[in-house]
Amino acid sequence: MSHLDHTPSTPGKFKIDKSPYYSRTRWHSSVAKLTLWSSLFVALIFLFFYRSPSSSSNNPPSSDPSRRYLASANWGGAAWEKRVRTSARIRSRNGFSVLVTGAAGFVGTHVSSALKRRGDGVLGIDNFNDYYDPTLKRARQALLERSGVFIVEGDINDVALLKKLFDIVPFTHVMHLAAQAGVRYAMQNPGSYVHSNIAGFVSLLEVCKDANPQPAIVWASSSSVYGLNTKVPFSEKDRTDQPASLYAATKKAGEEIAHTYNHIYGLSLTGLRFFTVFGPWGRPDMAYFFFTKDILKGKSIPIFEAANHGTVARDFTYIDDIVKGCLGSLDTAEKSTGSGGKKKGPAQLRVFNLGNTSPVPVTDLVSILERLLKVKAKRNVMKLPRNGDVPYTHANISYAQKEFGYKPTTDLQTGLKKFVRWYLSYYGDKKAVAR
Ligand SMILES: O=C(O)[C@H]1O[C@H](OP(=O)(O)OP(=O)(O)OC[C@H]2O[C@@H](n3ccc(=O)[nH]c3=O)[C@H](O)[C@@H]2O)[C@H](O)[C@@H](O)[C@@H]1O
């Protein structure tokens, strides 16, 4: 029997006798402790990398199998590099070469496709996580593939991968749309917001600042940064220091981080505050999308109202208008001024509201859907939960209008008509009801 077998399991209660075995016992127990703590440490590191949510367009619940590629990256090789190069090749005079992060996401897909159509070189990156149905992301990927856009499967926290992409292609621009989206999910999985919207953004900026030439970066902030601001319409000059959700706080942090990288490294940075973007190929976690699904299924839908039966309203903005805003921002983005990681002069730093300028109550959104679907909704009106939602958003867009002629042209009714048409054709009438 080994002397260690006498050691009680409760630490602290054991007083070691000063026997000849004492020093050996202590040495053995130190080795055992060291082994125990090292194993724990290794296990914690493993858990962190394995369980921490991946970045890109959205983040998954902890069971997400798509995170596994973090441990085993599936990129590289001559054929892969050729696809990267071909996808990013510029096909028009004065065209750009754009790296689009979150390319299999809602906005990412539309922007990538618009850039490709006008002759820019486009390379996507997305981690295809399962925050929402990844088959929708795969369908978007197939759509882009047909128009010649290759989406690299990878995470924006993978610095080696990003560096490799910049080694292969001297991107002139980065359209950074990969993020953990959704206001309410932040209470369920706060770490995913930090991982994607903060750590992921920093890892991207680190690679961009070292790139030669440095790209100009346009990235997705959010209307949610206005938080508890009550002055309407929201103007870029209004205060944004009262975020109502962790999601909003991480987007606000992104704006401050952008300032830092602009200041130190001369990166040209443009943040876009999107206002509740909707349309075909949209995000299933958003109200207009799951209301459609649930109305068709005959399920009741929760409709939030503000205090004292106040109206909850959003400045819903149609995807095509957002795409125009993204392209306008890219077209007016000035070059970054740094090289070799060093700033050579002041660089452009901008933030734009991209909204529709006409807020619509959520109850009206439901009425429009009822008419388009020809089904009466089962309305379950309830108090706005304390989950990060704000009662009202309304964009002042005069800055974007002045800088690149931004002018939204699609109202909620017209946009929803296009969405419903897409929804029914994508899921098929029967499947749409069954889902
Ligand atoms: O503008 C933005 O920056 C944000 O827009 C949306 O956030 P949100 O406006 O909350 O969009 P939805 O989740 O689709 O909600 C739309 C409206 O429906 C309401 N709602 C939502 C869910 C629900 O069950 N019931 C309900 O009445 C919300 O209060 C809100 O007024 C996106 O989900 C965010 O990712 C984005 O950053």
Side-chain angles (χ1 to χ4, degrees):
M1 191 190 265
S2 138
H3 57 274
L4 287 175
D5 292 337
H6 295 294
T7 312
S9 58
T10 322
K13 288 192 179 162
F14 179 54
K15 207 158 178 254
I16 301 161
D17 288 333
K18 297 244 177 179
S19 73
Y21 294 110
Y22 172 59
S23 60
R24 235 182 107 210
T25 307
R26 200 171 52 174
W27 187 81
H28 274 280
S29 87
S30 307
V31 169
K33 271 187 201 155
L34 191 70
T35 314
L36 178 73
W37 284 112
S38 317
S39 321
L40 266 175
F41 185 64
V42 170
L44 274 174
I45 289 188
F46 174 78
L47 269 176
F48 177 77
F49 281 107
Y50 183 74
R51 291 182 63 89
S52 94
S54 42
S55 59
S56 184
S57 54
N58 292 294
N59 276 283
S62 55
S63 61
D64 178 22
S66 68
R67 282 182 203 157
R68 276 176 208 148
Y69 72 83
L70 283 174
S72 58
N74 59 357
W75 51 269
W80 177 86
E81 286 192 23
K82 189 167 172 234
R83 289 186 81 186
V84 167
R85 226 173 261 117
T86 309
S87 185
R89 189 166 299 137
I90 301 170
R91 288 168 203 281
S92 69
R93 244 178 117 235
N94 302 321
F96 301 150
S97 178
V98 189
L99 174 66
V100 180
T101 72
F106 171 35
V107 181
T109 297
H110 284 275
V111 171
S112 300
S113 150
L115 289 170
K116 196 72 187 180
R117 269 200 308 274
R118 69 178 202 176
D120 291 326
V122 182
L123 179 75
I125 176 170
D126 203 293
N127 69 5
F128 294 92
N129 68 44
D130 65 358
Y131 165 61
Y132 62 80
D133 182 13
T135 57
L136 179 58
K137 298 179 183 183
R138 293 293 173 189
R140 296 184 189 128
Q141 178 188 29
L143 197 74
L144 287 180
E145 194 103 350
R146 284 198 288 278
S147 60
V149 176
F150 174 45
I151 303 183
V152 167
E153 290 196 31
D155 193 294
I156 52 167
N157 280 284
D158 187 344
V159 169
L161 169 59
L162 293 180
K163 277 195 172 140
K164 180 77 186 167
L165 296 179
F166 273 90
D167 281 347
I168 304 171
V169 181
F171 293 106
T172 57
H173 294 75
V174 173
M175 183 80 224
H176 173 49
L177 299 165
Q180 174 59 59
V183 175
R184 291 169 290 279
Y185 181 62
M187 286 179 76
Q188 286 173 52
N189 191 355
S192 67
Y193 290 79
V194 177
H195 185 79
S196 291
N197 304 355
I198 298 182
F201 191 28
V202 170
S203 105
L204 177 71
L205 292 174
E206 277 293 312
V207 175
C208 290
K209 70 111 168 51
D210 285 336
N212 233 333
Q214 289 178 334
I217 301 151
V218 177
W219 68 282
S221 181
S222 159
S223 75
S224 63
V225 298
Y226 291 108
L228 306 178
N229 180 36
T230 48
K231 184 184 153 290
V232 283
F234 300 160
S235 139
E236 290 88 348
K237 292 193 191 85
D238 292 348
R239 63 187 293 192
T240 51
D241 57 352
Q242 301 169 292
S245 64
L246 183 69
Y247 168 69
T250 59
K251 285 294 180 180
K252 174 64 185 167
E255 293 189 358
E256 304 305 332
I257 290 165
H259 179 273
T260 309
Y261 276 79
N262 170 270
H263 174 69
I264 304 181
Y265 301 109
L267 281 176
S268 161
L269 276 146
T270 303
L272 303 177
R273 293 177 180 165
F274 295 154
F275 282 70
T276 316
V277 189
F278 74 101
W281 297 99
R283 272 175 32 215
D285 63 319
M286 288 186 68
Y288 74 93
F289 199 118
F290 68 79
F291 282 180
T292 300
K293 182 178 99 183
D294 291 343
I295 290 172
L296 287 170
K297 276 171 99 174
K299 241 176 101 179
S300 83
I301 52 170
I303 301 172
F304 301 152
E305 65 174 18
N308 304 318
H309 303 294
T311 304
V312 170
R314 285 289 180 278
D315 198 1
F316 295 100
T317 311
Y318 189 62
I319 184 65
D320 290 1
D321 291 322
I322 289 292
V323 169
K324 282 186 220 149
C326 291
L327 268 51
S329 304
L330 285 168
D331 292 342
T332 54
E334 290 169 7
K335 285 196 167 124
S336 292
T337 63
S339 75
K342 287 211 175 67
K343 182 178 174 179
K344 298 277 160 67
Q348 192 180 37
L349 180 69
R350 307 180 293 175
V351 170
F352 292 112
N353 282 344
L354 291 185
N356 190 50
T357 69
S358 58
V360 178
V362 176
T363 44
D364 289 10
L365 162 82
V366 176
S367 303
I368 298 171
L369 287 176
E370 285 178 326
R371 279 198 299 278
L372 292 169
L373 298 168
K374 301 186 182 67
V375 181
K376 195 113 193 79
K378 290 192 182 123
R379 298 175 184 231
N380 177 17
V381 178
M382 58 173 73
K383 248 178 77 188
L384 191 69
R386 279 175 187 268
N387 54 11
D389 250 321
V390 293
Y392 191 77
T393 64
H394 183 182
N396 173 332
I397 54 157
S398 49
Y399 183 35
Q401 204 155 24
K402 181 171 146 273
E403 290 298 299
F404 48 83
Y406 175 70
K407 194 171 177 292
T409 54
T410 306
D411 62 17
L412 184 61
Q413 160 106 11
T414 314
L416 280 179
K417 200 168 168 186
K418 293 183 185 186
F419 164 73
V420 166
R421 197 181 305 140
W422 167 81
Y423 184 94
L424 295 176
S425 76
Y426 179 75
Y427 290 111
D429 279 77
K430 283 203 191 82
K431 250 166 82 195
V433 178
R435 280 173 64 79

